[in-house]
Amino acid sequence: MLLNVQDVEIAYNRIKVLWGVTLCVGEGEIVSLLGANGAGKSTLLKGIMGIAPLHRGSISFLEKDVSKKRPWEKAKMGVAYIPEGGRVFPDLTVEENLMLIASLHKEAFDVKENLDLVYSLFPVLKERLQQKAGTLSGGERQMLAIGRALMSKPKLLLIDEVSMGLMPKLVSEVFNTLSLLKEYGISILLTEQNVPEALAISDRGYVLENGRITISGNSEELLGNEMVKTSFLGL
Amino acid sequence: MTFGYILSIATFASIYAILILGLNILTGYTKQVSLGHAAFFAIGAYTQALLITKAGLTFWSALPLTILLSMIIGVVMGLPSLRVSDDFLVLTTIGLNFIVMGITEYFDFFGGAMGIIGITMPTIGGKSIGTTGYFLITLSFLLLTICICYLFSKTWGRLAMEATGEDEDAAQSLGINTSIYKMYAFALSSTFTGLAGVLWAHSIGSVFPRNFSFEMSVLFLSMLVFGGLGTIRGAVFGAFVLYILPEFFRFIENYRMLVYGGMLAMIVILQPNGILGRGGLLDRCILRLVKKKAETQEIS
Ligand SMILES: Nc1ncnc2c1ncn2[C@@H]1O[C@H](COP(=O)(O)OP(=O)(O)OP(=O)(O)O)[C@@H](O)[C@H]1O
Ligand SMILES: [Mg+2]
């Protein structure tokens, strides 16, 4: 198993937000994390990356316990995280945003190969290399955020609401791109408000309610689930 | 206005420019706002003063020791930055001023309120170098500092620092060990600030606790913010302008804190990138001039 989350609890200022969450992501899988606003989806991704400290439970990546590892250590092991809103570095240029990670860990990454992959997925970025990331359009910024994460050739990509602020056409484009990543051996755990689109590219999914996982299953099962239908699909 | 007076102004302006270049690495790159750089300045000046007057070292033999100690103390004082949030870091650095002032004032070892006097000018080949010679030494150190800062600004280390300053969580999840880069920033920053302290101590010939008050830290931050956070040209420009102006308009002297504090607030609101920083008032004027020149050349 690539990622194993066991019985994880996370609290902010002693207020528990996640209660005994258990999930897993296998090699080559795309897994969706669904849930209403405030359910704890972003918190779970932060916990996996190591930005939010675990209160209880454990996380293993590639069969190694990484519960106590700092974010940068996990990044070097092959976990990449795209936070809500992308959060590219606004004062750095597109090129600097992309090259930063590869240049800091030259021994670990094949810069050229990764850059080629990013350019082939997002040709727009190539035209904007010298532009400050802060001046990119919302959609371009999301692409840069994905591209930046891919520069480390991660094994696992954690994505928080990649479609936020994108027009519908772009949303499907971005989802298409994500499903392509499978071929490069990249597994994905993503949170998404666009439930049908997310499930369309996912193998499996989990539903998070008030910090607990209440439903899990493969995408078809979830699409057929009464609760999912009423809460997320508006059927 | 005598030649000696101009020389002394140029010397002090260069010293402050070195200091502000140091502050720029910490506050400009990693966005760790310091209102305590007078303390780092004091550490450089006092260490050098003690090594000269008590240990009998010369300018040149004491300098590397002082620089090394400044760097170490910078890292130690930077450790809280790994634990506290940015707002609390500002408070912590404000505290540094009072700690250093308190220690130098209350312990006889540091000369107490009477300070340390008799910090002689450096000599070269046994000969005293005079104020002109000292200005040249200071200027050389400024040029050296600018060179190092320029070379550093071209490295990925600077980008990692800026990324840390812009978004620490995002930087961490990209594999940047932000703690290390924050410490690097403190180390580099306190090194240059300590160097400025050394040059200042020899230039004045004495050090007193009140030379390194909280007010000075406010002045330093104003210089950097005025010139332009995160740029070398802005740091040098801010230091020169804000040091030289009050020298010519003596009446400002009495309202110094009011002027600097007010200006700091105004700049932050009106010109957040500083006068000569990216997109600042002067920066845009210069860009426009350069463009115009290029256009006229094209036509002719
Ligand atoms: N830094 C924080 N401090 C305190 N409480 C927080 C913090 N971050 C999140 N929370 C709380 O934790 C709960 C879960 O938040 P989280 O951001 O994980 O939800 P989410 O499922 O991502 O929601 P959304 O769909 O709106 O993005 C919310 O009640 C939120 O108020
Ligand atoms: Mg969220």
Side-chain angles (χ1 to χ4, degrees), chain A residues 12-13 17 35-44 46 84 161 193:
Chain A
Y12 293 113
N13 312 320
V17 175
N37 293 128
K41 305 179 296 292
S42 302
T43 303
L44 181 53
K46 284 182 196 160
E84 224 164 339
E161 313 244 351
Q193 304 284 351

Side-chain angles (χ1 to χ4, degrees), chain A residues 73-98:
Chain A
E73 297 173 302
K74 292 185 191 171
K76 282 184 210 169
M77 293 174 73
V79 187
Y81 165 61
I82 303 175
E84 224 164 339
R87 298 200 359 207
V88 294
F89 304 117
D91 276 343
L92 306 190
T93 65
V94 169
E95 186 173 26
E96 287 168 341
N97 264 282
L98 287 174

